[in-house]
C-alpha cells in the first residue's frame, strides 16, 4: 500500500484529486478525514497543509506527495522529484513599487525584501553575491512596501493582477513552478512497481489534456496533403471508405489548432470532419 500526501484544501487540492480520478483511482472524498483509502488501487491519501508535504515525504511517512515545486525548493528536504504535473503553474518573482527605477539585480544590494520564501530568495541573492535583508512574513507580502516594511517583495505571481493592485512591478523572475509528484528517496522495489504504474497512468492523463481526436474523409489523391496538415504520432491511421476513391484519416491534434486544421482540410477537398474529445492517450 502506497501512501500519497495531497494538499487538504487550497489551490492544488481539487486538481490533485482530479488527476487521481482521471487515472482511474477512486478515493472516497470526505474532507473531514485525514486518511482515505482507494477502493480499486493500492494507495491511500493523506491530506495535509502543503507546507508539510515535503518533510512528510522526505522522512517516509508518506511515500509520495503532490505539491508545488516552489514548496519543494523552499523546504529543501531531500525528496525525489518524479514527475512535473503541469497544473498549479506560477512563478516566483521579485517586485518593487512601480514608481521606482529598476537598475538590475544589484538594485537589491543593501535593501529589504519581504517574502514567505526566504530559502529560495537567499539562494538567489547568494548566487549573485548580493547582500539583501530578507524579512520573512507569512502572508499579505504584497502590502509590505506600502507599509514601509520592505523595499520590495518576492512572491508567487500568476496573472500579475495582485501586483498591479498594490502598485508593484515585477522586475525579476527567479523560478517557474508547477505541481510535482515527489517520492521518498530509496523506496523499495515492491512500492516502486506501484509508483511506476501510477506515473504511467498520470503520463497518459496529462498527454491527453488539450488534445482532440479528429476523423476526416479525404479523396485518395489528397491523402499526402492531408497528412501534412494532420501528421500522426506513429504511422497514419488510414481506412478505405465503401465509396471507392475516398479514405478516412484518424489523428490526434492540439485543441488550439482544431479550427485552423479543419479549414485547411476543407480547402483540399476533405469532408465530414468529426472532432471528438479524447479521454486518455495510453502509449
Ligand atoms: P495550505 O493551507 O495547504 O498551506 P497555502 O495557502 O500555502 O495552502 P495555496 O494558496 O493553496 O497554498 O497554493 C498552493 C500552491 O499553488 C502554491 O504553493 C503554488 O505552487 C501554487 N499556485 C499556483 N498559482 C498560484 C497563485 N496565483 N497564488 C498562490 N499559489 C499558486
Ligand atoms: Mg501553505
Amino acid at each position: 500500500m502506497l501512501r500519497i500526501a495531497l494538499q487538504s484544501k487550497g489551490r492544488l487540492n481539487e486538481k490533485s484529486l482530479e488527476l487521481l480520478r482521471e487515472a482511474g483511482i477512486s478515493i472516497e472524498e470526505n474532507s473531514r478525514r485525514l486518511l482515505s483509502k482507494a477502493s480499486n488501487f493500492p494507495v491511500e491519501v493523506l491530506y495535509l497543509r502543503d507546507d508539510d508535504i515535503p518533510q512528510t515525504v522526505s522522512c517516509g511517512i508518506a511515500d509520495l506527495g503532490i505539491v508545488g515545486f516552489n514548496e519543494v525548493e523552499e523546504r529543501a528536504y531531500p525528496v525525489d522529484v518524479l514527475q512535473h504535473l503541469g497544473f498549479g503553474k506560477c512563478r516566483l518573482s521579485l517586485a518593487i513599487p512601480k514608481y521606482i527605477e529598476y537598475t538590475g539585480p544589484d538594485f537589491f544590494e543593501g535593501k529589504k525584501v519581504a517574502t514567505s520564501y526566504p530559502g529560495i530568495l537567499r539562494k538567489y541573492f547568494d548566487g549573485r553575491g548580493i547582500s539583501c535583508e530578507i524579512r520573512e512574513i507569512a502572508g499579505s507580502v504584497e502590502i509590505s512596501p506600502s507599509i514601509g516594511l520592505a523595499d520590495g517583495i518576492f512572491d508567487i505571481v500568476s496573472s500579475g493582477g495582485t501586483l498591479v493592485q498594490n502598485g508593484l512591478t515585477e522586475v525579476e523572475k527567479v523560478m517557474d513552478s508547477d505541481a510535482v509528484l515527489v517520492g521518498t528517496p530509496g523506496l523499495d522495489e515492491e512500492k516502486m512497481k506501484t509508483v511506476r504504474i501510477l506515473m504511467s497512468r498520470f503520463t497518459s492523463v496529462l498527454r491527453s489534456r488539450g488534445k482532440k481526436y479528429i476523423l476526416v474523409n479525404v479523396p485518395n489523391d489528397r491523402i499526402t496533403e492531408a497528412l501534412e496538415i494532420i501528421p500522426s504520432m506513429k504511422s497514419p491511421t488510414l481506412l478505405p471508405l465503401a465509396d471507392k476513391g475516398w479514405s478516412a484519416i484518424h489523428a490526434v491534434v492540439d485543441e488550439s489548432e482544431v479550427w485552423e486544421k479543419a479549414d485547411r482540410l476543407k480547402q483540399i477537398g476533405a469532408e465530414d470532419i468529426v472532432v471528438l474529445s479524447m479521454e486518455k492517450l495510453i502509449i
Side-chain angles (χ1 to χ4, degrees):
M1 172 77 69
L2 278 182
R3 185 180 287 169
I4 179 164
L6 303 187
Q7 194 189 19
S8 53
K9 49 187 183 329
R11 286 170 201 269
L12 301 180
N13 165 273
E14 183 81 11
K15 292 215 165 121
S16 305
L17 283 167
E18 185 182 302
L19 178 63
L20 288 179
R21 208 165 33 239
E22 288 183 18
I25 297 162
S26 307
I27 309 280
E28 194 192 317
E29 283 172 44
N30 179 346
S31 53
R32 278 162 203 266
R33 238 199 260 161
L34 185 65
L35 209 55
S36 302
K37 269 197 182 73
S39 56
N40 58 354
F41 197 81
V43 299
E44 62 182 359
V45 172
L46 174 65
Y47 294 100
L48 295 175
R49 292 268 322 253
D50 70 345
D51 314 51
D52 297 329
I53 293 177
Q55 184 182 12
T56 308
V57 172
S58 184
C59 68
I61 290 173
D63 307 296
L64 296 174
I66 294 179
V67 66
F69 187 57
N70 52 312
E71 287 297 326
V72 176
E73 288 288 282
E74 177 61 29
R75 308 286 153 188
Y77 288 105
V79 291
D80 292 339
V81 175
L82 301 172
Q83 213 171 17
H84 280 262
L85 302 172
F87 57 85
K89 280 193 178 158
C90 57
R91 56 191 188 274
L92 268 71
S93 291
L94 282 156
I96 61 170
K98 65 170 187 241
Y99 56 83
I100 291 180
E101 193 196 345
Y102 184 65
T103 49
D106 286 341
F107 168 89
F108 291 100
E109 179 68 39
K111 298 274 199 322
K112 300 182 198 81
V113 174
T115 187
S116 312
Y117 293 94
I120 296 170
L121 187 58
R122 174 60 58 215
K123 233 167 137 185
Y124 174 81
F125 283 139
D126 285 354
R128 281 163 183 73
I130 294 167
S131 83
C132 172
E133 186 184 328
I134 295 174
R135 299 206 151 162
E136 184 178 354
I137 58 171
S140 303
V141 172
E142 62 283 353
I143 62 163
S144 311
S146 62
I147 59 170
L149 188 70
D151 303 293
I153 67 160
F154 175 62
D155 204 5
I156 290 180
V157 182
S158 53
S159 68
T162 311
L163 294 183
V164 173
Q165 274 167 24
N166 288 280
L168 300 169
T169 308
E170 183 175 359
V171 290
E172 296 289 341
K173 181 178 85 173
V174 172
M175 69 175 277
D176 283 307
S177 179
D178 65 343
V180 287
L181 178 72
V182 290
T184 311
L187 285 177
D188 64 39
E189 191 43 39
E190 180 74 24
K191 284 186 171 172
M192 275 315 290
K193 265 191 202 151
T194 318
V195 171
R196 280 193 285 269
I197 294 172
L198 197 63
M199 284 173 62
S200 103
R201 288 195 189 185
F202 285 174
T203 304
S204 299
V205 173
L206 300 175
R207 276 213 183 114
S208 63
R209 287 194 177 159
K211 302 272 193 223
K212 294 282 173 191
Y213 194 79
I214 185 165
L215 297 87
V216 54
N217 295 337
V218 187
N220 285 346
D221 59 353
R222 309 309 289 263
I223 287 174
T224 315
E225 286 159 87
L227 290 175
E228 276 165 20
I229 300 170
I230 44 171
S232 60
M233 283 186 290
K234 218 177 232 167
S235 168
T237 307
L238 257 179
L239 304 167
L241 297 186
D243 185 353
K244 283 205 176 56
W246 283 77
S247 297
I249 302 176
H250 293 201
V252 173
V253 299
D254 280 343
E255 188 171 10
S256 58
E257 297 180 341
V258 163
W259 283 109
E260 181 254 334
K261 288 190 185 290
D263 291 342
R264 285 171 61 201
L265 287 166
K266 272 163 61 182
Q267 278 163 15
I268 62 156
E271 289 179 4
D272 305 324
I273 302 170
V274 178
V275 179
L276 303 172
S277 47
M278 234 184 51
E279 199 173 314
K280 304 220 168 37
L281 182 56
I282 302 166
I283 294 177

